[in-house]
Amino acid sequence: MKLATGGTGKAAMGFILLLALLDAVSMGLIYPILPQLVIDLSGGDTPHASRIFGLLAAAWAVMNFVAAPILGTLSDRFGRRPVILISAFGLAIDLVIMALAQNLAWLFIGRLLSGVTAASYATISAYLADVTPPEQRARRFGLLSGIFGIGLILGPAAGGLLAEISLRAPFWVAAVLTAFGWLYGLLVLPESLPAERRARLSWHAANPVKSFGVLTRYEGLSGLSAMAMLVQLAAQAVNTLFMLYTAHRYGWTPVQVGLLLMVYSAGTIVMVAALSPFLVSRFRERKVVLGGLLCLVVGFLGLAVAPTGFWFAAACAVICLGNVATPPLQALLTHKVGADEQGRLQGALSALMALTGMVGPILFTQIFAWSISGNAVPAMSGIALAVGAFMAALAWLLALKVARSPKAEKMPSAEDAAATAAGMMPS
C-alpha cells in the first residue's frame, strides 16, 4: 500500500490522538499493579522488592533519557512514520514480555524496552507540527495534551479494576490496545515529512548531555532550573513509592490506588490548566510559585505522617493544590531565553527531568526499604516521603532568591500547562 506524504487528513490526525491516548492508558494501566508484581516475583519480600522496583524505574528513565534525542534525530532523517510505527510495535511487544515475565530478569527487559518506546512522544509531537498550519498548532497541541491527560486519568482506575481479575490482565489489555493502534497506523498513517525536508543524520544532535549547555548561559536560568529539578526529584518520592507505601502502611489494594490516582490526575490538570493562570493574573508568578511550593512541602510532610488512608488522601489534595506552581515556574524559565532557543531550553529541561527519574527511584526505594526492614515501627515507613518534603523545602528557599516575576510575562497556554501536568504525574 502506497501512502502519500504530507498527510493532513482526519485519519492521520485521528491516529496521532489515538496513539497518544493508548500510550497514556498503557502507562496508567500498569502503574497500580507493577509494584505488586515485583513483590510477587521477589517472593513476597517487600524491602527487597522495593529496591528492585527502584532499579526498574531508574532503568526505564535511563533508556528514555538516551532514546528520546536518538529517536528525534532518526525521525528527522528517515521520517516520522517509521519511528512512530516501530515504537508502537515495540511497546506492544514490551507489554507482552511483562505480561509473561516469570522472573525479574524478564521484567527488566520489558522496562528497558518500555523506556525506549515511551520516548516516541516527541516524534508524535513533531508529526503533529508537520501536518498542522502554524495558526492551528496551539489548538491541536492542546487537544493532544488533553487526550494524553485523559489517558492518565482513566488508566490507573482501569488497571486497578483489572488487577482484581489477575495481576497480568492489565498488561494483556494494554498490549491488545497498543497492537490495535499499531495496525491502524500501518494502514492509514501517511508520512508527514517529505524527503526534501529531511535532515542529514547527525549523532552530535542526539547527545542528551550537550543539551545542558543552554542552562548555564543565561543569568538566573541555572537557579530556576535547579528549582525545577528539586521539585521533580521530590515528586519522584510519591511517583515511585505510591503503591508500595500505601500497600505496606494502609493495606490498600490496586483498586483503591487506581481510583485515588484517577482523582489526583484529574485534579492536577484542573489546577495547572485553570486555577494556576487565574492565580497568576491576580498575584503574579513569584507569589504563586512560592505559595504552590509551600503547599507541596506541607503535602509531602502530610503523606509521611498520615496515620490513616483518609489523611493520606487529604495530603494528596494539598499536593494537588501545590501543582499550581508548575506553569508559572515554566513561564519564568521560558522568559530567560529568546525565541530562537526555546526548543533547546525545553530539550535541556526534559533531559534534566529524566535525570531525576534515574536518581529518584533508587534513592527513595532504598530509604523506604531500610525504613521497613527488621522491627521498624510503621511510622518510620514515611521517612522517604519526608525526604521528598525536605527537597521541596529546598526548592522553596531557592525560589525566595531566584524567582522574580518579569514585568510582562506570558503565561503558558492551557495546552502547555496540561503537558507539564502530565510530566508531573506518576509514570
Side-chain angles (χ1 to χ4, degrees):
M1 178 180 296
K2 185 177 179 180
L3 295 168
T5 60
T8 58
K10 292 182 179 179
M13 184 64 188
F15 171 76
I16 290 300
L17 295 179
L18 175 65
L19 187 60
L21 178 64
L22 292 176
D23 280 354
V25 170
S26 296
M27 286 191 294
L29 276 169
I30 68 174
Y31 180 77
I33 49 88
L34 185 58
Q36 186 58 53
L37 182 59
V38 174
I39 292 174
D40 287 357
L41 294 177
S42 301
D45 185 344
T46 301
H48 175 66
S50 299
R51 295 186 178 95
I52 295 298
F53 185 70
L55 292 174
L56 280 171
W60 184 95
V62 168
M63 295 305 295
N64 192 257
F65 175 74
V66 173
I70 292 176
L71 291 185
T73 300
L74 290 175
S75 76
D76 286 341
R77 176 62 184 90
F78 300 106
R80 319 295 187 203
R81 184 176 188 269
V83 173
I84 290 174
L85 290 179
I86 291 172
S87 296
F89 184 79
L91 178 58
I93 297 299
D94 155 58
L95 290 166
V96 171
I97 289 174
M98 289 194 286
L100 294 173
Q102 297 300 313
N103 53 58
L104 292 172
W106 280 105
L107 204 58
F108 263 101
I109 292 173
R111 292 306 285 167
L112 289 171
L113 183 57
S114 178
V116 175
T117 57
S120 65
Y121 189 79
T123 308
I124 292 174
S125 299
Y127 187 103
L128 197 63
D130 290 340
V131 302
T132 305
E135 66 275 10
Q136 296 182 23
R137 285 177 186 169
R139 181 177 61 84
R140 286 196 173 182
F141 273 111
L143 184 59
L144 178 65
S145 297
I147 290 292
F148 196 81
I150 290 172
L152 289 177
I153 292 170
L154 297 177
L161 292 172
L162 287 168
E164 293 292 290
I165 302 172
S166 165
L167 282 180
R168 311 285 179 154
F171 292 99
W172 286 115
V173 171
V176 170
L177 291 175
T178 305
F180 169 77
W182 168 79
L183 181 60
Y184 176 54
L186 187 66
L187 296 175
V188 305
L189 183 69
E191 177 55 64
S192 67
L193 188 65
E196 63 271 16
R197 289 173 50 197
R198 296 178 188 177
R200 290 186 176 183
L201 192 62
S202 172
W203 294 116
H204 176 80
N207 188 337
V209 177
K210 293 185 180 298
S211 67
F212 292 136
V214 69
L215 301 180
T216 61
R217 286 205 299 270
Y218 299 95
E219 182 181 358
L221 187 55
S222 58
L224 289 171
S225 301
M227 274 178 53
M229 183 182 70
L230 284 168
V231 170
Q232 187 65 17
L233 193 57
Q236 288 291 336
V238 181
N239 293 351
T240 307
L241 296 178
F242 203 100
M243 180 63 191
L244 292 167
Y245 181 79
T246 54
H248 173 80
R249 185 76 187 272
Y250 312 117
W252 281 10
T253 66
V255 173
Q256 291 170 297
V257 172
L259 291 175
L260 179 57
L261 285 175
M262 181 181 69
V263 174
Y264 173 80
S265 299
T268 296
I269 290 176
V270 171
M271 291 298 109
V272 300
L275 182 60
S276 184
F278 170 76
L279 291 176
V280 170
S281 69
R282 296 287 302 272
F283 303 108
R284 303 301 304 276
E285 292 82 1
R286 174 181 167 82
K287 290 183 178 179
V288 177
V289 167
L290 289 171
L293 290 179
L294 191 58
C295 286
L296 291 179
V297 174
V298 174
F300 283 129
L301 281 176
L303 296 181
V305 302
T308 66
F310 171 82
W311 289 109
F312 184 89
C316 285
V318 178
I319 294 175
C320 191
L321 178 61
N323 285 333
V324 297
T326 305
L329 175 56
Q330 184 188 40
L332 294 177
L333 284 161
T334 59
H335 182 75
K336 295 293 183 179
V337 304
D340 59 334
E341 289 198 294
Q342 291 296 331
R344 293 187 183 92
L345 172 64
Q346 295 304 322
L349 291 174
S350 295
L352 194 64
M353 297 306 106
L355 282 178
T356 68
M358 302 177 203
V359 176
I362 295 177
L363 172 65
F364 292 116
T365 53
Q366 290 291 325
I367 296 173
F368 178 68
W370 168 80
S371 70
I372 64 175
S373 298
N375 297 319
V377 297
M380 283 187 62
S381 59
I383 290 176
L385 296 172
V387 173
F390 174 73
M391 291 178 176
L394 289 179
W396 182 81
L397 290 173
L398 188 57
L400 289 174
K401 181 178 180 180
V402 302
R404 295 287 183 270
S405 295
K407 292 182 179 179
E409 179 67 71
K410 182 180 178 182
M411 274 297 296
S413 59
E415 60 271 14
D416 291 333
T420 302
M424 290 291 291
M425 292 175 192
S427 60

